Amino acid sequence: MLQKTTASTRLRNPTLLFGGLGLLLLVLFIANVGLGSVLISLSDLLSIFKGNASADPVLKQIVIDFRLPQALTAMLSGSALAVSGLLMQTMLRNPLADPFVLGVNSGASLGVAIVVLTAAPAGLALTQGLGISGNLLVIVAASAGSAGVLLLILILARRMDVMSILILGLMISYGVGAVVSLLMFFSMPAKLQSFITWSFGHFGNVTWSQLNVYLPVILAGTLSTLFLSKPLDAMLMGENYAASLGTKVKQIRFLCLMIASVLAGTVTGFCGPIGFLGIAAPHLCRYLFQTSSHRLLIPATLMVGASLALSADLIAKAPGYSTVLPLNAITALFGAPVIIVALVKQGKLGTLFGR
Amino acid sequence: MSTHELILKTEGLSIGYQGRKLERKVAKDLDLELSPGRFVCLLGPNGTGKSTLIRTLGGLHPSIDGQVLLKDSPIQAMEPRDRAKLVSLVLTEMLPVGIFTVYSMVALGRHPHTRWNGSLTEKDHEKINWAIQAANADSLRDRQVGELSDGERQKVLIARALAQETPIMLLDEPTAFLDITRRIELMHTLRELAHKHSMSILLSSHDLELALQCADELWLLSDEGKITKGSPENLALTGQLSDLFGSEALDWDAQQGTFRVHQQPCLHAQLVGQGPEHLWTERALLRLGYGLDDAEPASMEIRIENAQGASKWIVNFNQEEIVFRSLDLFTLWLESRSNHTTTEGSN
């Protein structure tokens, strides 16, 4: 059916690609659960999951309480950021768009900055709490910050064309970023340190009880995008053509910007600002599948995003060592060469986007 | 007029742009009617609002006053999907972005007919193939849209509109980037589609001569925002065409059906001859600024003789008779002569 829809000789076999991506995802997931500062063998993992009484209780605790939620969080966050990047790129018709173009991450960082840098006594408590496990207050502050910016954008963007929305997002980012800079300038080094730690991004802060919130929100957001493939394809032709094809352009635009920003805002709230994934995953998928059809691209970005996040987290965990590297540095450090290779092989990634 | 005939109609329509404070009316009080099986060309000088009218008729642009009626219901109140089943558009907009083969791009035209996920049925594939064929885009089927030339892309956009399977199609300047042969081809294709499949096709253009040849009806949009309707021949004959398009610098040539750059003839000539030789010699003379008015005394006489499949041009000028074996030689002589006179004049 799919081959028939896009009767191109150049189209890669999507079934095969999806199969490969699924396998990769599985391997990465198992690796993420097994590897870390403590290395857990495959047979130990099996016995833990089977619920064998012989399983080492310490290992079991590590896997169930830390590794599993972290791997799940990485998958969910990667998928969310990737598909959110795809929505933004299509909606704004700009290959440089990422989940944060509307400024939701700067909103989140403002929320966190206010909580961490200014709330003095609570801030000190946070400093201790931040590194160990996810802190509810930070999550709430970040989510509130990104929700605030999102609301502002959605109200202002109703009467705008896409280019203006893009510039608006940029301006809001700069404005909010300036406030954060001022807050940083006037705060104590210790607090600054904890804020910077937050800004590195980390998948390990989300506990099982927080996953009760995180998982349904991200799942609902990402899965709802699967229903948008048809209008998104139409949107690639430009808003006027999309309208002439019967697309409710304003509604779709509102819906897409909202889903993308809620996803990006939620991820930022729970895991900190994680860059690069959102812009890179859609381009990687277009390169892999050689298509712009969202019927393929949406599931593809979900899987590629999850795989990238798992890979990055695996590297950040530095298996075998007791240190944790900043996630944000890893995504770009290891991700950028991948994109550069694709760029060199393709000649011009822009053409993938049709420019 | 039967009620089930689908007609696009406007009643007292005013089009233009409405900002918060200012309002710019491009055209007002338009009562138009587009009926099935008609190929209508909308003509008008640049900047008169042809594109605005097309977009308003297509329901993409709100009207300032009055209404666009489709099947007797106002187009603005229609569900976008229902509207998309009745009206398809080809716009002047930039090309779509993305990796699309021609086939998958034409397939987008099926959107109003497909389910939520856009999956295509047997019938959809049939329609897509038909549309590609009807738009003469067969050879492009598996090409990437990004690699096409402007003209080829135009064909694909038309195929996409055809795949939408609508009784009404509106095209905004579809011939703008095409060379003259492609332009003629496209106009005839559209005309045939209108007649064969009883579609109503409205096309905006500033290609007057081609519109005169192909259209069933012309709508002339003037600078003042009025529309004059009628058959191309009648509009030409009654001089309404020249009123709209003519200017100080342009003369309407009712004989040839074209506009000419207005110039004071330097010399009057008399031309005798037949067939294509006569026609093209006449055009050459007019181009070089000779008057061919029989009423004026001619200072040059040209006789074209056809003998044994070869033509010769016998020119009588200044009591001299010069014979040319080809039109080329004759025009070269004319050119050198007029260069000569202008240099003389400037001395």
Side-chain angles (χ1 to χ4, degrees), chain A residues 71 105 147 162 184 196 220 245 334:
Chain A
N105 64 333
V162 287
M184 286 169 79
I196 289 171
L245 285 170
F334 287 84

Side-chain angles (χ1 to χ4, degrees), chain B residues 26 29 33 38 106 202 298 319 347:
Chain B
V26 183
D29 303 325
E33 207 175 282
R38 301 280 281 176
V106 175
L202 172 69
Q319 282 93 41
N347 289 340

Side-chain angles (χ1 to χ4, degrees), chain B residues 17-70:
Chain B
Y17 296 88
Q18 215 160 10
R20 278 203 193 124
K21 280 177 197 151
L22 80 182
E23 177 185 282
R24 201 167 72 83
K25 265 188 198 170
V26 183
K28 54 176 183 252
D29 303 325
L30 304 177
D31 293 306
L32 305 166
E33 207 175 282
L34 195 61
S35 33
R38 301 280 281 176
F39 179 45
V40 180
C41 283
L42 170 66
L43 292 171
N46 278 334
T48 42
K50 298 192 292 291
S51 298
T52 314
L53 179 59
I54 294 262
R55 284 211 304 274
T56 311
L57 290 178
L60 294 186
H61 193 87
S63 58
I64 289 183
D65 237 330
Q67 278 183 330
V68 179
L69 297 173
L70 242 182

Side-chain angles (χ1 to χ4, degrees), chain A residues 1 4-10 93 159 226-231 233-241 243-248 286-287 290-293 295 351-355, chain B residues 20 55 60 79-81 83-84 87 89-91 93 95-101 103-105 108-109 111-112 114-120 122 125 141-142 144 147 157 160 164:
Chain A
M1 193 61 208
K4 231 178 190 177
T5 336
T6 39
S8 161
T9 43
R10 289 204 226 163
R93 285 159 62 88
R159 300 181 64 108
L226 290 170
F227 295 88
L228 290 170
S229 62
K230 185 173 152 176
D233 278 351
M235 285 302 227
L236 281 177
M237 303 214 27
E239 296 198 346
N240 272 334
Y241 271 122
S244 87
L245 285 170
T247 312
K248 291 174 180 165
R286 287 191 198 98
Y287 174 70
Q290 289 291 321
T291 183
S292 286
S293 160
R295 277 180 81 182
T351 56
L352 276 181
F353 203 73
R355 296 262 162 149
Chain B
R20 278 203 193 124
R55 284 211 304 274
L60 294 186
E79 273 290 299
R81 193 185 165 99
R83 190 190 65 214
V87 185
L89 286 157
V90 174
L91 304 164
E93 239 154 77
L95 73 153
V97 295
I99 311 160
F100 282 108
T101 60
Y103 190 87
S104 55
M105 168 112 195
L108 289 181
H111 267 195
T114 55
R115 293 183 306 134
W116 64 271
N117 60 358
S119 63
L120 301 168
E122 245 354 275
H125 286 294
R141 211 171 177 279
D142 294 325
Q144 291 287 320
E147 298 168 351
L157 284 173
R160 189 202 52 84
Q164 217 173 317

